[in-house]
Amino acid sequence: MDTRPRVIYLPDTMTNWPWPRAMNPHFEVVKAEVDASFHEFKALSAESQEAFDKCDSARLAALGYPNAPREHLRIACEFINVLIIVDEYTDVGNAAVAEAMVGIVIDALHNPHKTRPEGECILGEIVRQFWARAIQTTSLPFQRHFIYSYTAYLRAVVVEALDRDEAHCRSISDYIKLRRDTCATKPAIAIYEMGMDLPDEVFYHPAIVELVECIAELMLIDNDMISYNREQATGDENHNLITTVMVEIGLDRSGAMAWAARYHAEVEKRFTDGLAKVPSWGPSTDVLVKEYLDGMATWARANHSWSYETQRYLGTKGPEIRRTGLVPLLPKVNRKAASAAAGVNVTDLSMMDVTADPCDV
């Protein structure tokens, strides 16, 4: 009997991406501030908070917004915390529960100065404080564009929950359409606008929208490839590109990973070709557009780098796995029982396999 562990080969998709990894110099100081502030919410049990901290969400913000001033980096860090905690809370319940939570978050976003109701889910207060801080130092166009993008993300989260309730696996094209929103790339890109007055005619221009869609696809491909092992172990793999490709095309895991890597290369080309189609809006606006486009391209690099540096997906083995591309396949676990008991998605896989050591909040 062959007792060798089964292994997934994880291709390196970003070898030829021109935008390099960069880190915001305010990272360490802002991380300490934001982590301390988030702990005060007591949104998680001690065990879940420890797993949440391993995600190192501030690192993603510092990689994604390397040129942001200190206050804007703090807002970006709080936004990443909001993304992760909302994702973990809505991952546990059914579509009705997710929709109720999304309603609370949207209300808090539109009413940042309103006291939240007694006994309400903590997500309301977390989002209220985040947005109350954000609107103090950010432009009005940013605020409009962020609410538009983040609301689209939240609505998509409810659709994902409905798919989960029905154990529904979408076609590749339908999945990618939904995942462009559930991967949260669009509100993350809007964060680059905090210090600029980007006109609506730029934000909604078809050439710009297509470039944003490309970055969203690059992010969803990378995220789904890297998180697939964790998700197949916890039974969450239906909302994952690798599973969708396996089902629709009939490929095994290795074949689906190779398919995703090829598609990633196609999207990279679509993005670089699309840059040449961006029109001019005049010198003063064009400077903002260049900064915005460089920012979204940096986000693709940041997401990929962070995925190997955080313990969220690959535990402490991220750098080794990035070097070898080899990920030992994790056995199945009953995530739902632990998550339901805690009220959030808390399963920590780090102790299951010392050669893989992935972490799930």
Side-chain angles (χ1 to χ4, degrees):
M1 180 178 176
D2 187 354
T3 59
R4 291 176 299 176
R6 290 183 293 170
V7 172
I8 303 171
Y9 177 67
L10 191 59
D12 187 349
T13 55
M14 295 293 279
T15 303
N16 298 317
W17 191 244
W19 288 267
R21 178 190 181 280
M23 177 64 76
N24 193 296
H26 303 297
F27 166 56
E28 295 290 350
V29 173
V30 173
K31 172 182 168 59
E33 293 174 355
V34 172
D35 286 354
S37 177
F38 184 79
H39 286 187
E40 291 176 3
F41 289 116
K42 295 181 169 56
L44 300 165
S45 67
E47 179 186 3
S48 299
Q49 185 65 63
E50 182 180 356
F52 187 96
D53 291 344
K54 290 178 183 178
C55 292
D56 200 359
S57 55
R59 178 175 295 274
L60 175 56
L63 289 167
Y65 313 101
N67 300 315
R70 177 171 168 168
E71 177 58 25
H72 284 178
L73 179 62
R74 170 152 188 172
I75 294 167
C77 288
E78 290 181 348
F79 166 64
I80 302 300
N81 275 347
V82 164
L83 275 183
I84 296 177
I85 196 67
V86 169
D87 182 55
E88 303 304 346
Y89 266 71
T90 57
D91 257 0
V92 174
N94 58 28
V97 171
E99 187 169 26
M101 289 182 178
V102 161
I104 290 169
V105 170
I106 291 175
D107 183 74
L109 200 59
H110 286 276
N111 298 282
H113 302 302
K114 183 179 81 173
T115 302
R116 304 310 303 170
E118 185 80 21
E120 182 186 69
C121 174
I122 192 63
L123 294 180
E125 182 60 15
I126 293 173
V127 172
R128 187 199 71 77
Q129 289 192 27
F130 152 68
W131 195 238
R133 174 186 288 274
I135 59 178
Q136 293 179 33
T137 60
T138 57
S139 71
L140 290 177
F142 155 73
Q143 293 172 33
R144 289 197 309 272
H145 299 160
F146 177 84
I147 289 177
Y148 170 83
S149 301
Y150 188 53
T151 301
Y153 158 77
L154 292 168
R155 299 299 186 198
V157 164
V158 177
V159 176
E160 178 188 350
L162 185 60
D163 282 357
R164 190 167 57 243
D165 287 353
E166 299 174 351
H168 176 52
C169 187
R170 291 172 174 260
S171 68
I172 294 172
S173 59
D174 282 352
Y175 173 76
I176 289 175
K177 182 178 179 181
L178 177 63
R179 189 76 170 102
R180 288 188 196 121
D181 285 324
T182 62
C183 72
T185 301
K186 296 172 185 179
I189 290 174
I191 292 287
Y192 288 103
E193 298 182 57
M194 285 190 289
M196 65 172 73
D197 291 311
L198 192 71
D200 285 355
E201 63 184 299
V202 174
F203 183 80
Y204 293 107
H205 191 280
I208 300 297
V209 170
E210 170 63 18
L211 292 171
V212 171
E213 298 279 355
C214 285
I215 297 301
E217 289 193 20
L218 292 179
M219 179 172 172
L220 77 85
I221 296 166
D222 282 331
N223 182 263
D224 284 9
M225 292 173 72
I226 294 169
S227 68
Y228 172 78
N229 193 31
R230 182 190 74 163
E231 290 171 359
Q232 66 80 29
T234 59
D236 265 350
E237 70 268 36
N238 276 357
H239 194 68
N240 188 290
L241 180 63
I242 301 305
T243 300
T244 302
V245 171
M246 289 169 66
V247 170
E248 182 169 327
I249 304 180
L251 299 173
D252 61 11
R253 291 187 183 92
S254 296
M257 287 285 183
W259 186 98
R262 288 193 300 271
Y263 184 61
H264 193 286
E266 293 172 11
V267 178
E268 287 181 59
K269 186 176 188 306
R270 233 169 59 214
F271 180 82
T272 53
D273 289 349
L275 290 174
K277 300 175 185 176
V278 174
S280 172
W281 284 275
S284 59
T285 300
D286 287 352
V287 171
L288 301 180
V289 172
K290 183 181 186 308
E291 181 181 344
Y292 183 60
L293 296 175
D294 282 341
M296 69 174 73
T298 297
W299 179 257
R301 170 66 70 187
N303 171 69
H304 184 264
S305 296
W306 174 77
S307 295
Y308 287 95
E309 295 173 26
T310 177
Q311 293 186 44
R312 181 169 171 81
Y313 305 119
L314 304 171
T316 60
K317 302 298 183 181
E320 177 185 331
I321 290 171
R322 183 162 192 184
R323 187 178 69 254
T324 65
L326 301 178
V327 186
L329 189 68
L330 286 168
K332 302 289 185 180
V333 296
N334 186 0
R335 186 211 68 172
K336 291 184 179 179
S339 297
V344 289
N345 183 0
V346 298
T347 307
D348 187 342
L349 306 181
S350 62
M351 299 306 294
M352 289 182 52
D353 186 337
V354 295
T355 62
D357 197 28
C359 162
D360 188 6
V361 175

PDB file of all heavy atoms in Angstrom, residues 266-297:
ATOM      1  N   GLU A 266      -3.523  34.436 -19.846  1.00  0.00           N
ATOM      2  CA  GLU A 266      -4.387  35.117 -20.824  1.00  0.00           C
ATOM      3  C   GLU A 266      -4.932  36.422 -20.259  1.00  0.00           C
ATOM      4  O   GLU A 266      -4.986  37.445 -20.954  1.00  0.00           O
ATOM      5  CB  GLU A 266      -5.547  34.202 -21.217  1.00  0.00           C
ATOM      6  CG  GLU A 266      -5.142  32.961 -22.002  1.00  0.00           C
ATOM      7  CD  GLU A 266      -6.304  31.999 -22.205  1.00  0.00           C
ATOM      8  OE1 GLU A 266      -7.459  32.393 -21.909  1.00  0.00           O
ATOM      9  OE2 GLU A 266      -6.063  30.864 -22.656  1.00  0.00           O
ATOM     10  N   VAL A 267      -5.330  36.407 -18.983  1.00  0.00           N
ATOM     11  CA  VAL A 267      -5.874  37.611 -18.355  1.00  0.00           C
ATOM     12  C   VAL A 267      -4.772  38.663 -18.181  1.00  0.00           C
ATOM     13  O   VAL A 267      -5.017  39.863 -18.363  1.00  0.00           O
ATOM     14  CB  VAL A 267      -6.536  37.277 -17.006  1.00  0.00           C
ATOM     15  CG1 VAL A 267      -7.055  38.543 -16.334  1.00  0.00           C
ATOM     16  CG2 VAL A 267      -7.686  36.290 -17.202  1.00  0.00           C
ATOM     17  N   GLU A 268      -3.566  38.238 -17.832  1.00  0.00           N
ATOM     18  CA  GLU A 268      -2.438  39.174 -17.749  1.00  0.00           C
ATOM     19  C   GLU A 268      -2.266  39.924 -19.061  1.00  0.00           C
ATOM     20  O   GLU A 268      -2.085  41.152 -19.078  1.00  0.00           O
ATOM     21  CB  GLU A 268      -1.146  38.419 -17.432  1.00  0.00           C
ATOM     22  CG  GLU A 268      -1.021  37.903 -16.013  1.00  0.00           C
ATOM     23  CD  GLU A 268       0.307  37.184 -15.808  1.00  0.00           C
ATOM     24  OE1 GLU A 268       1.355  37.820 -16.007  1.00  0.00           O
ATOM     25  OE2 GLU A 268       0.292  35.984 -15.468  1.00  0.00           O
ATOM     26  N   LYS A 269      -2.316  39.194 -20.178  1.00  0.00           N
ATOM     27  CA  LYS A 269      -2.161  39.822 -21.493  1.00  0.00           C
ATOM     28  C   LYS A 269      -3.316  40.773 -21.782  1.00  0.00           C
ATOM     29  O   LYS A 269      -3.116  41.860 -22.333  1.00  0.00           O
ATOM     30  CB  LYS A 269      -2.060  38.760 -22.593  1.00  0.00           C
ATOM     31  CG  LYS A 269      -1.754  39.335 -23.971  1.00  0.00           C
ATOM     32  CD  LYS A 269      -1.562  38.268 -25.018  1.00  0.00           C
ATOM     33  CE  LYS A 269      -1.077  38.866 -26.333  1.00  0.00           C
ATOM     34  NZ  LYS A 269      -1.955  39.946 -26.834  1.00  0.00           N
ATOM     35  N   ARG A 270      -4.522  40.368 -21.384  1.00  0.00           N
ATOM     36  CA  ARG A 270      -5.686  41.227 -21.582  1.00  0.00           C
ATOM     37  C   ARG A 270      -5.507  42.548 -20.837  1.00  0.00           C
ATOM     38  O   ARG A 270      -5.872  43.622 -21.330  1.00  0.00           O
ATOM     39  CB  ARG A 270      -6.940  40.510 -21.086  1.00  0.00           C
ATOM     40  CG  ARG A 270      -8.050  40.458 -22.109  1.00  0.00           C
ATOM     41  CD  ARG A 270      -9.155  39.521 -21.696  1.00  0.00           C
ATOM     42  NE  ARG A 270      -9.778  39.864 -20.436  1.00  0.00           N
ATOM     43  CZ  ARG A 270     -10.250  38.986 -19.565  1.00  0.00           C
ATOM     44  NH1 ARG A 270     -10.152  37.684 -19.808  1.00  0.00           N
ATOM     45  NH2 ARG A 270     -10.826  39.368 -18.446  1.00  0.00           N
ATOM     46  N   PHE A 271      -4.923  42.471 -19.640  1.00  0.00           N
ATOM     47  CA  PHE A 271      -4.710  43.684 -18.853  1.00  0.00           C
ATOM     48  C   PHE A 271      -3.666  44.581 -19.516  1.00  0.00           C
ATOM     49  O   PHE A 271      -3.907  45.782 -19.702  1.00  0.00           O
ATOM     50  CB  PHE A 271      -4.269  43.333 -17.435  1.00  0.00           C
ATOM     51  CG  PHE A 271      -4.022  44.543 -16.564  1.00  0.00           C
ATOM     52  CD1 PHE A 271      -5.073  45.193 -15.944  1.00  0.00           C
ATOM     53  CD2 PHE A 271      -2.733  45.031 -16.373  1.00  0.00           C
ATOM     54  CE1 PHE A 271      -4.859  46.315 -15.155  1.00  0.00           C
ATOM     55  CE2 PHE A 271      -2.503  46.152 -15.586  1.00  0.00           C
ATOM     56  CZ  PHE A 271      -3.567  46.796 -14.971  1.00  0.00           C
ATOM     57  N   THR A 272      -2.522  44.028 -19.859  1.00  0.00           N
ATOM     58  CA  THR A 272      -1.460  44.852 -20.453  1.00  0.00           C
ATOM     59  C   THR A 272      -1.892  45.422 -21.804  1.00  0.00           C
ATOM     60  O   THR A 272      -1.574  46.581 -22.118  1.00  0.00           O
ATOM     61  CB  THR A 272      -0.155  44.050 -20.599  1.00  0.00           C
ATOM     62  OG1 THR A 272      -0.418  42.833 -21.316  1.00  0.00           O
ATOM     63  CG2 THR A 272       0.415  43.693 -19.241  1.00  0.00           C
ATOM     64  N   ASP A 273      -2.633  44.642 -22.576  1.00  0.00           N
ATOM     65  CA  ASP A 273      -3.160  45.167 -23.852  1.00  0.00           C
ATOM     66  C   ASP A 273      -4.186  46.264 -23.591  1.00  0.00           C
ATOM     67  O   ASP A 273      -4.259  47.258 -24.331  1.00  0.00           O
ATOM     68  CB  ASP A 273      -3.815  44.050 -24.672  1.00  0.00           C
ATOM     69  CG  ASP A 273      -2.809  43.062 -25.245  1.00  0.00           C
ATOM     70  OD1 ASP A 273      -1.599  43.349 -25.195  1.00  0.00           O
ATOM     71  OD2 ASP A 273      -3.237  41.997 -25.728  1.00  0.00           O
ATOM     72  N   GLY A 274      -4.966  46.103 -22.531  1.00  0.00           N
ATOM     73  CA  GLY A 274      -6.008  47.081 -22.208  1.00  0.00           C
ATOM     74  C   GLY A 274      -5.468  48.423 -21.779  1.00  0.00           C
ATOM     75  O   GLY A 274      -6.133  49.458 -21.960  1.00  0.00           O
ATOM     76  N   LEU A 275      -4.274  48.433 -21.219  1.00  0.00           N
ATOM     77  CA  LEU A 275      -3.676  49.705 -20.809  1.00  0.00           C
ATOM     78  C   LEU A 275      -3.511  50.647 -21.997  1.00  0.00           C
ATOM     79  O   LEU A 275      -3.621  51.875 -21.856  1.00  0.00           O
ATOM     80  CB  LEU A 275      -2.307  49.458 -20.159  1.00  0.00           C
ATOM     81  CG  LEU A 275      -2.310  48.772 -18.785  1.00  0.00           C
ATOM     82  CD1 LEU A 275      -0.891  48.464 -18.334  1.00  0.00           C
ATOM     83  CD2 LEU A 275      -3.025  49.637 -17.747  1.00  0.00           C
ATOM     84  N   ALA A 276      -3.256  50.078 -23.173  1.00  0.00           N
ATOM     85  CA  ALA A 276      -3.065  50.896 -24.377  1.00  0.00           C
ATOM     86  C   ALA A 276      -4.373  51.512 -24.862  1.00  0.00           C
ATOM     87  O   ALA A 276      -4.359  52.434 -25.698  1.00  0.00           O
ATOM     88  CB  ALA A 276      -2.447  50.046 -25.488  1.00  0.00           C
ATOM     89  N   LYS A 277      -5.497  51.022 -24.369  1.00  0.00           N
ATOM     90  CA  LYS A 277      -6.808  51.509 -24.819  1.00  0.00           C
ATOM     91  C   LYS A 277      -7.386  52.582 -23.901  1.00  0.00           C
ATOM     92  O   LYS A 277      -8.475  53.095 -24.156  1.00  0.00           O
ATOM     93  CB  LYS A 277      -7.785  50.330 -24.903  1.00  0.00           C
ATOM     94  CG  LYS A 277      -7.341  49.234 -25.863  1.00  0.00           C
ATOM     95  CD  LYS A 277      -8.287  48.039 -25.796  1.00  0.00           C
ATOM     96  CE  LYS A 277      -7.786  46.891 -26.669  1.00  0.00           C
ATOM     97  NZ  LYS A 277      -8.647  45.689 -26.545  1.00  0.00           N
ATOM     98  N   VAL A 278      -6.660  52.923 -22.853  1.00  0.00           N
ATOM     99  CA  VAL A 278      -7.156  53.935 -21.911  1.00  0.00           C
ATOM    100  C   VAL A 278      -7.047  55.315 -22.560  1.00  0.00           C
ATOM    101  O   VAL A 278      -5.964  55.721 -22.993  1.00  0.00           O
ATOM    102  CB  VAL A 278      -6.347  53.902 -20.600  1.00  0.00           C
ATOM    103  CG1 VAL A 278      -6.767  55.039 -19.676  1.00  0.00           C
ATOM    104  CG2 VAL A 278      -6.537  52.558 -19.898  1.00  0.00           C
ATOM    105  N   PRO A 279      -8.156  56.061 -22.626  1.00  0.00           N
ATOM    106  CA  PRO A 279      -8.110  57.383 -23.263  1.00  0.00           C
ATOM    107  C   PRO A 279      -7.476  58.431 -22.361  1.00  0.00           C
ATOM    108  O   PRO A 279      -7.156  58.162 -21.200  1.00  0.00           O
ATOM    109  CB  PRO A 279      -9.594  57.692 -23.497  1.00  0.00           C
ATOM    110  CG  PRO A 279     -10.308  56.948 -22.411  1.00  0.00           C
ATOM    111  CD  PRO A 279      -9.510  55.693 -22.181  1.00  0.00           C
ATOM    112  N   SER A 280      -7.309  59.616 -22.878  1.00  0.00           N
ATOM    113  CA  SER A 280      -6.788  60.733 -22.099  1.00  0.00           C
ATOM    114  C   SER A 280      -7.941  61.626 -21.657  1.00  0.00           C
ATOM    115  O   SER A 280      -8.882  61.872 -22.412  1.00  0.00           O
ATOM    116  CB  SER A 280      -5.801  61.549 -22.940  1.00  0.00           C
ATOM    117  OG  SER A 280      -5.431  62.741 -22.261  1.00  0.00           O
ATOM    118  N   TRP A 281      -7.860  62.089 -20.411  1.00  0.00           N
ATOM    119  CA  TRP A 281      -8.849  63.031 -19.901  1.00  0.00           C
ATOM    120  C   TRP A 281      -8.206  64.390 -19.600  1.00  0.00           C
ATOM    121  O   TRP A 281      -8.775  65.204 -18.901  1.00  0.00           O
ATOM    122  CB  TRP A 281      -9.478  62.473 -18.633  1.00  0.00           C
ATOM    123  CG  TRP A 281     -10.483  61.388 -18.865  1.00  0.00           C
ATOM    124  CD1 TRP A 281     -11.804  61.547 -19.142  1.00  0.00           C
ATOM    125  CD2 TRP A 281     -10.255  59.966 -18.829  1.00  0.00           C
ATOM    126  NE1 TRP A 281     -12.414  60.320 -19.285  1.00  0.00           N
ATOM    127  CE2 TRP A 281     -11.493  59.333 -19.099  1.00  0.00           C
ATOM    128  CE3 TRP A 281      -9.140  59.168 -18.609  1.00  0.00           C
ATOM    129  CZ2 TRP A 281     -11.633  57.947 -19.151  1.00  0.00           C
ATOM    130  CZ3 TRP A 281      -9.283  57.792 -18.660  1.00  0.00           C
ATOM    131  CH2 TRP A 281     -10.511  57.192 -18.928  1.00  0.00           C
ATOM    132  N   GLY A 282      -7.021  64.607 -20.121  1.00  0.00           N
ATOM    133  CA  GLY A 282      -6.300  65.840 -19.833  1.00  0.00           C
ATOM    134  C   GLY A 282      -5.202  65.593 -18.816  1.00  0.00           C
ATOM    135  O   GLY A 282      -5.290  64.648 -18.020  1.00  0.00           O
ATOM    136  N   PRO A 283      -4.154  66.427 -18.833  1.00  0.00           N
ATOM    137  CA  PRO A 283      -2.964  66.191 -18.000  1.00  0.00           C
ATOM    138  C   PRO A 283      -3.239  65.976 -16.518  1.00  0.00           C
ATOM    139  O   PRO A 283      -2.699  65.047 -15.913  1.00  0.00           O
ATOM    140  CB  PRO A 283      -2.126  67.466 -18.225  1.00  0.00           C
ATOM    141  CG  PRO A 283      -2.576  67.981 -19.550  1.00  0.00           C
ATOM    142  CD  PRO A 283      -4.032  67.641 -19.660  1.00  0.00           C
ATOM    143  N   SER A 284      -4.076  66.803 -15.907  1.00  0.00           N
ATOM    144  CA  SER A 284      -4.279  66.692 -14.454  1.00  0.00           C
ATOM    145  C   SER A 284      -4.990  65.394 -14.073  1.00  0.00           C
ATOM    146  O   SER A 284      -4.641  64.742 -13.089  1.00  0.00           O
ATOM    147  CB  SER A 284      -5.076  67.898 -13.935  1.00  0.00           C
ATOM    148  OG  SER A 284      -6.333  67.983 -14.582  1.00  0.00           O
ATOM    149  N   THR A 285      -5.970  64.996 -14.880  1.00  0.00           N
ATOM    150  CA  THR A 285      -6.687  63.746 -14.599  1.00  0.00           C
ATOM    151  C   THR A 285      -5.853  62.533 -14.975  1.00  0.00           C
ATOM    152  O   THR A 285      -5.894  61.503 -14.289  1.00  0.00           O
ATOM    153  CB  THR A 285      -8.034  63.715 -15.349  1.00  0.00           C
ATOM    154  OG1 THR A 285      -8.826  64.828 -14.924  1.00  0.00           O
ATOM    155  CG2 THR A 285      -8.801  62.420 -15.068  1.00  0.00           C
ATOM    156  N   ASP A 286      -5.082  62.646 -16.045  1.00  0.00           N
ATOM    157  CA  ASP A 286      -4.266  61.516 -16.486  1.00  0.00           C
ATOM    158  C   ASP A 286      -3.253  61.090 -15.425  1.00  0.00           C
ATOM    159  O   ASP A 286      -2.923  59.900 -15.303  1.00  0.00           O
ATOM    160  CB  ASP A 286      -3.531  61.857 -17.786  1.00  0.00           C
ATOM    161  CG  ASP A 286      -4.461  61.892 -18.990  1.00  0.00           C
ATOM    162  OD1 ASP A 286      -5.637  61.503 -18.837  1.00  0.00           O
ATOM    163  OD2 ASP A 286      -4.020  62.304 -20.082  1.00  0.00           O
ATOM    164  N   VAL A 287      -2.757  62.055 -14.652  1.00  0.00           N
ATOM    165  CA  VAL A 287      -1.842  61.720 -13.547  1.00  0.00           C
ATOM    166  C   VAL A 287      -2.541  60.827 -12.531  1.00  0.00           C
ATOM    167  O   VAL A 287      -1.973  59.844 -12.040  1.00  0.00           O
ATOM    168  CB  VAL A 287      -1.323  63.011 -12.870  1.00  0.00           C
ATOM    169  CG1 VAL A 287      -0.560  62.675 -11.599  1.00  0.00           C
ATOM    170  CG2 VAL A 287      -0.431  63.791 -13.821  1.00  0.00           C
ATOM    171  N   LEU A 288      -3.802  61.153 -12.217  1.00  0.00           N
ATOM    172  CA  LEU A 288      -4.574  60.344 -11.278  1.00  0.00           C
ATOM    173  C   LEU A 288      -4.859  58.956 -11.845  1.00  0.00           C
ATOM    174  O   LEU A 288      -4.784  57.953 -11.134  1.00  0.00           O
ATOM    175  CB  LEU A 288      -5.899  61.033 -10.949  1.00  0.00           C
ATOM    176  CG  LEU A 288      -5.827  62.429 -10.322  1.00  0.00           C
ATOM    177  CD1 LEU A 288      -7.237  62.951 -10.054  1.00  0.00           C
ATOM    178  CD2 LEU A 288      -5.020  62.399  -9.031  1.00  0.00           C
ATOM    179  N   VAL A 289      -5.171  58.920 -13.139  1.00  0.00           N
ATOM    180  CA  VAL A 289      -5.480  57.644 -13.785  1.00  0.00           C
ATOM    181  C   VAL A 289      -4.271  56.721 -13.752  1.00  0.00           C
ATOM    182  O   VAL A 289      -4.399  55.521 -13.462  1.00  0.00           O
ATOM    183  CB  VAL A 289      -5.960  57.870 -15.235  1.00  0.00           C
ATOM    184  CG1 VAL A 289      -6.103  56.535 -15.975  1.00  0.00           C
ATOM    185  CG2 VAL A 289      -7.281  58.615 -15.246  1.00  0.00           C
ATOM    186  N   LYS A 290      -3.084  57.277 -14.018  1.00  0.00           N
ATOM    187  CA  LYS A 290      -1.869  56.453 -13.978  1.00  0.00           C
ATOM    188  C   LYS A 290      -1.643  55.889 -12.578  1.00  0.00           C
ATOM    189  O   LYS A 290      -1.321  54.705 -12.406  1.00  0.00           O
ATOM    190  CB  LYS A 290      -0.644  57.255 -14.417  1.00  0.00           C
ATOM    191  CG  LYS A 290       0.628  56.401 -14.467  1.00  0.00           C
ATOM    192  CD  LYS A 290       1.836  57.204 -14.881  1.00  0.00           C
ATOM    193  CE  LYS A 290       3.063  56.290 -15.069  1.00  0.00           C
ATOM    194  NZ  LYS A 290       3.323  55.409 -13.912  1.00  0.00           N
ATOM    195  N   GLU A 291      -1.839  56.724 -11.562  1.00  0.00           N
ATOM    196  CA  GLU A 291      -1.673  56.263 -10.183  1.00  0.00           C
ATOM    197  C   GLU A 291      -2.683  55.168  -9.855  1.00  0.00           C
ATOM    198  O   GLU A 291      -2.362  54.173  -9.208  1.00  0.00           O
ATOM    199  CB  GLU A 291      -1.852  57.448  -9.236  1.00  0.00           C
ATOM    200  CG  GLU A 291      -1.670  57.089  -7.759  1.00  0.00           C
ATOM    201  CD  GLU A 291      -1.879  58.289  -6.845  1.00  0.00           C
ATOM    202  OE1 GLU A 291      -1.862  59.441  -7.328  1.00  0.00           O
ATOM    203  OE2 GLU A 291      -2.094  58.057  -5.626  1.00  0.00           O
ATOM    204  N   TYR A 292      -3.906  55.343 -10.318  1.00  0.00           N
ATOM    205  CA  TYR A 292      -4.988  54.380 -10.085  1.00  0.00           C
ATOM    206  C   TYR A 292      -4.680  53.052 -10.769  1.00  0.00           C
ATOM    207  O   TYR A 292      -4.833  51.976 -10.167  1.00  0.00           O
ATOM    208  CB  TYR A 292      -6.278  54.989 -10.632  1.00  0.00           C
ATOM    209  CG  TYR A 292      -7.535  54.186 -10.420  1.00  0.00           C
ATOM    210  CD1 TYR A 292      -7.987  53.851  -9.144  1.00  0.00           C
ATOM    211  CD2 TYR A 292      -8.322  53.807 -11.508  1.00  0.00           C
ATOM    212  CE1 TYR A 292      -9.166  53.145  -8.958  1.00  0.00           C
ATOM    213  CE2 TYR A 292      -9.507  53.102 -11.336  1.00  0.00           C
ATOM    214  CZ  TYR A 292      -9.925  52.777 -10.062  1.00  0.00           C
ATOM    215  OH  TYR A 292     -11.095  52.084  -9.889  1.00  0.00           O
ATOM    216  N   LEU A 293      -4.205  53.106 -12.007  1.00  0.00           N
ATOM    217  CA  LEU A 293      -3.886  51.884 -12.753  1.00  0.00           C
ATOM    218  C   LEU A 293      -2.683  51.164 -12.158  1.00  0.00           C
ATOM    219  O   LEU A 293      -2.675  49.932 -12.041  1.00  0.00           O
ATOM    220  CB  LEU A 293      -3.636  52.215 -14.218  1.00  0.00           C
ATOM    221  CG  LEU A 293      -4.835  52.775 -15.001  1.00  0.00           C
ATOM    222  CD1 LEU A 293      -4.424  53.169 -16.416  1.00  0.00           C
ATOM    223  CD2 LEU A 293      -5.979  51.768 -15.038  1.00  0.00           C
ATOM    224  N   ASP A 294      -1.652  51.921 -11.778  1.00  0.00           N
ATOM    225  CA  ASP A 294      -0.501  51.305 -11.115  1.00  0.00           C
ATOM    226  C   ASP A 294      -0.919  50.671  -9.792  1.00  0.00           C
ATOM    227  O   ASP A 294      -0.411  49.609  -9.415  1.00  0.00           O
ATOM    228  CB  ASP A 294       0.595  52.343 -10.863  1.00  0.00           C
ATOM    229  CG  ASP A 294       1.401  52.661 -12.107  1.00  0.00           C
ATOM    230  OD1 ASP A 294       1.371  51.852 -13.062  1.00  0.00           O
ATOM    231  OD2 ASP A 294       2.061  53.720 -12.138  1.00  0.00           O
ATOM    232  N   GLY A 295      -1.854  51.319  -9.102  1.00  0.00           N
ATOM    233  CA  GLY A 295      -2.337  50.785  -7.837  1.00  0.00           C
ATOM    234  C   GLY A 295      -3.032  49.445  -8.013  1.00  0.00           C
ATOM    235  O   GLY A 295      -2.743  48.490  -7.292  1.00  0.00           O
ATOM    236  N   MET A 296      -3.927  49.364  -8.990  1.00  0.00           N
ATOM    237  CA  MET A 296      -4.656  48.095  -9.165  1.00  0.00           C
ATOM    238  C   MET A 296      -3.717  46.979  -9.610  1.00  0.00           C
ATOM    239  O   MET A 296      -3.889  45.820  -9.217  1.00  0.00           O
ATOM    240  CB  MET A 296      -5.837  48.269 -10.131  1.00  0.00           C
ATOM    241  CG  MET A 296      -5.494  48.524 -11.571  1.00  0.00           C
ATOM    242  SD  MET A 296      -6.986  48.531 -12.639  1.00  0.00           S
ATOM    243  CE  MET A 296      -7.740  50.087 -12.188  1.00  0.00           C
ATOM    244  N   ALA A 297      -2.703  47.321 -10.402  1.00  0.00           N
ATOM    245  CA  ALA A 297      -1.726  46.310 -10.813  1.00  0.00           C
ATOM    246  C   ALA A 297      -0.886  45.856  -9.619  1.00  0.00           C
ATOM    247  O   ALA A 297      -0.544  44.670  -9.492  1.00  0.00           O
ATOM    248  CB  ALA A 297      -0.830  46.864 -11.917  1.00  0.00           C
TER     249      ALA A 297
END
